[in-house]
C-alpha cells in the first residue's frame, strides 16, 4: 500500500474496492484512523468496537459493549485505546463517554455530563484534550487524565466540533450556518472569529479541517457539502448531493488537502478538486448509502461504510504512477 505524498486526478478517479467486511450486525455509526499507525476502528449498531490492520486488510480484534453501546468513536494517541460515546443509559447514569482499552478490554475512565446523544467527537492532535458535541446543545471539553469536564459551551442547536491539525484552534459549527473558531488555550474568552454560511439553515452533520489548515469542510442534513476558507470563511465550493432522509452522509479531505470525497443519498460517492472546483470522479459505493467516509492519514486509501465496511485503494491497472513510496 502506497504512502501519500501528492495525489493526482487519475489516482483519485481510479480508486476501487480492495477489501470488504460484511459481518456487522447492523449499521456502522462511526470510524476513525489512527494518526501514525496503520489502524482503523469502527463502532456499530451491534454494540461492537472493531480494530483493523489497514495495511493487511485484517480484522485484529472485536469487543462488545452491551451495557452502554457504541456510537461515536475516535482514537486516542495510543494505538489500542479509544474514546467511545454511549447509546444507552444516558438519562440514568450519565456515562456518556468512555475511555476504552482494546488491549485488555477495560474501561479506563467514564466521563459524565451529557444527558443526550453525543453526535461529534474529536481529540486534540497535540495533547490529551478532547471535545464532544451533543444534541443537548452543548460542547464539552475534557482531559483523558481527569473524569471531570474541563469546560462547557452552551450553544444554539446541535453542534459539530473539530480541532485544526496543530491543536491551536478548534471549530464549532451549529445550525443556521454559524461556525465559531476558538483558541484552544483560552476558549473561555469566547470565539475569536465567527463565519456564517448563508443559505442553509439545516442542522450540521460534521466539520473538518484539512491537514494543511487552509480549508474547512462542512456537511449538513440537507446533504450539502461546503468547502470553506479556514481563515476568512469564504466558500471555495458548494456541492449538493441526493437526499438521504434516514442517513447522515460524511465527507472527507484527502491528506494533501487537494480533494474532497463525499457520499450521496443515491448510494454513489463523488470526488472534487478543491482548487479547480470540478468533479474528478464518481463511483457506485456497492454498499448503499455511505454513512461513514474517511481517508487514511498516511495512505492512498479510504474507508467507506454503511452496514458493510469497504477499503478503497488505487486500481493499479488504471492508475498512473504517483509520487509515493512503497510499503
Amino acid at each position: 500500500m502506497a504512502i501519500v505524498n501528492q495525489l493526482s486526478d487519475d489516482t483519485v478517479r481510479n480508486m476501487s474496492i480492495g477489501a470488504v467486511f460484511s459481518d456487522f450486525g447492523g449499521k456502522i455509526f462511526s470510524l476513525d484512523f489512527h494518526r501514525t499507525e496503520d489502524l482503523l476502528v469502527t463502532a456499530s449498531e451491534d454494540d461492537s468496537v472493531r480494530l483493523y490492520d489497514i495495511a493487511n486488510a485484517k480484522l485484529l480484534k472485536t469487543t462488545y459493549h452491551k451495557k452502554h453501546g457504541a456510537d461515536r468513536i475516535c482514537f486516542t494517541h495510543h494505538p489500542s485505546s479509544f474514546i467511545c460515546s454511549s447509546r444507552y443509559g444516558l438519562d440514568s447514569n450519565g456515562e456518556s463517554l468512555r475511555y476504552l482499552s482494546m488491549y485488555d478490554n477495560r474501561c479506563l475512565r467514564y466521563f459524565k455530563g451529557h444527558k443526550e446523544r453525543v453526535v461529534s467527537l474529536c481529540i486534540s492532535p497535540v495533547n490529551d484534550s478532547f471535545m464532544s458535541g451533543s444534541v443537548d446543545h452543548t460542547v464539552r471539553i475534557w482531559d483523558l487524565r481527569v473524569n471531570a469536564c474541563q469546560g462547557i459551551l452552551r450553544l444554539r442547536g446541535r453542534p459539530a466540533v473539530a480541532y485544526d491539525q496543530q491543536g491551536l484552534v478548534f471549530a464549532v459549527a451549529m445550525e443556521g450556518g454559524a461556525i465559531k473558531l476558538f483558541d484552544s488555550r483560552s476558549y473561555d474568552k469566547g470565539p475569536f472569529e465567527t463565519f456564517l454560511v448563508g443559505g442553509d439553515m439545516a442542522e450540521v452533520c460534521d466539520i473538518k479541517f484539512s491537514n494543511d489548515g487552509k480549508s474547512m469542510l462542512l456537511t449538513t442534513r440537507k446533504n450539502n457539502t461546503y468547502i470553506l476558507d479556514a481563515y476568512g470563511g469564504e466558500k471555495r465550493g458548494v456541492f449538493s448531493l441526493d437526499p438521504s432522509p434516514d442517513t447522515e452522509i460524511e465527507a472527507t479531505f484527502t491528506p494533501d488537502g487537494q480533494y474532497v470525497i463525499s457520499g450521496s443519498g443515491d448510494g454513489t460517492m463523488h470526488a472534487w478538486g478543491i482548487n479547480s472546483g470540478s468533479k474528478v470522479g464518481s463511483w457506485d459505493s456497492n454498499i448503499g448509502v455511505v454513512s461513514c467516509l474517511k481517508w487514511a492519514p498516511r495512505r492512498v486509501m479510504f474507508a467507506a461504510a454503511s452496514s458493510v465496511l469497504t477499503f478503497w485503494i488505487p486500481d493499479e491497472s488504471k492508475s498512473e504512477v504517483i509520487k509515493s513510496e512503497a510499503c
Side-chain angles (χ1 to χ4, degrees), residues 64-315:
Y64 287 92
H65 305 266
K66 296 298 184 181
K67 179 180 177 182
H68 295 90
D71 196 346
R72 301 293 167 172
I73 197 163
C74 70
F75 273 102
T76 65
H77 300 292
H78 192 281
S80 63
S81 63
F82 325 96
I83 308 158
C84 185
S85 69
S86 303
R87 294 178 61 213
Y88 314 132
L90 295 177
D91 54 350
S92 57
N93 58 39
E95 294 170 348
S96 54
L97 295 160
R98 290 159 291 134
Y99 178 16
L100 303 176
S101 169
M102 183 72 95
Y103 175 74
D104 51 6
N105 195 21
R106 284 195 305 136
C107 181
L108 304 176
R109 183 166 284 114
Y110 292 101
F111 302 96
K112 297 183 180 182
H114 292 299
K115 296 297 185 183
E116 296 185 61
R117 182 183 174 220
V118 170
V119 291
S120 188
L121 187 62
C122 62
I123 191 165
S124 167
V126 296
N127 57 38
D128 286 330
S129 298
F130 69 97
M131 291 188 296
S132 56
S134 169
V135 292
D136 65 10
H137 298 181
T138 66
V139 167
R140 291 179 180 262
I141 296 96
W142 312 84
D143 188 308
L144 278 175
R145 300 163 295 183
V146 183
N147 294 77
C149 177
Q150 303 297 292
I152 184 169
L153 305 173
R154 302 186 187 280
L155 306 164
R156 182 187 70 250
R158 163 185 166 152
V161 295
Y163 284 99
D164 76 340
Q165 294 302 312
Q166 288 72 45
L168 299 175
V169 172
F170 67 80
V172 177
M174 64 200 79
E175 66 181 76
I179 300 173
K180 298 180 182 292
L181 299 183
F182 294 81
D183 186 322
S184 297
R185 299 157 297 184
S186 55
Y187 58 82
D188 55 320
K189 296 180 181 178
F192 65 82
E193 186 67 89
T194 300
F195 305 141
L196 294 175
V197 182
D200 191 339
M201 302 301 290
E203 286 187 332
V204 298
C205 296
D206 191 25
I207 188 167
K208 293 182 175 79
F209 283 93
S210 61
N211 282 355
D212 60 13
K214 296 179 180 179
S215 304
M216 291 187 294
L217 184 60
L218 179 71
T219 55
T220 74
R221 296 197 68 163
K222 285 185 177 179
N223 283 8
N224 290 327
T225 297
Y226 299 90
I227 304 171
L228 307 171
D229 181 90
Y231 302 109
E234 296 89 359
K235 294 178 186 176
R236 300 183 63 187
V238 182
F239 310 109
S240 296
L241 290 310
D242 286 347
S244 53
D246 301 321
T247 303
E248 295 175 8
I249 64 168
E250 185 173 12
T252 183
F253 285 113
T254 55
D256 60 1
Q258 299 304 303
Y259 301 92
V260 164
I261 299 176
S262 176
S264 180
D266 62 355
T268 60
M269 297 184 296
H270 306 271
W272 298 271
I274 291 177
N275 293 326
S276 67
S278 59
K279 184 178 289 189
V280 173
S282 297
W283 312 271
D284 184 339
S285 74
N286 294 292
I287 58 171
V289 179
V290 170
S291 56
C292 302
L293 181 63
K294 283 189 173 70
W295 195 290
R298 303 167 54 247
R299 298 293 184 178
V300 186
M301 174 258 185
F302 68 84
S306 55
S307 58
V308 177
L309 174 65
T310 53
F311 292 173
W312 290 67
I313 58 175
D315 184 336

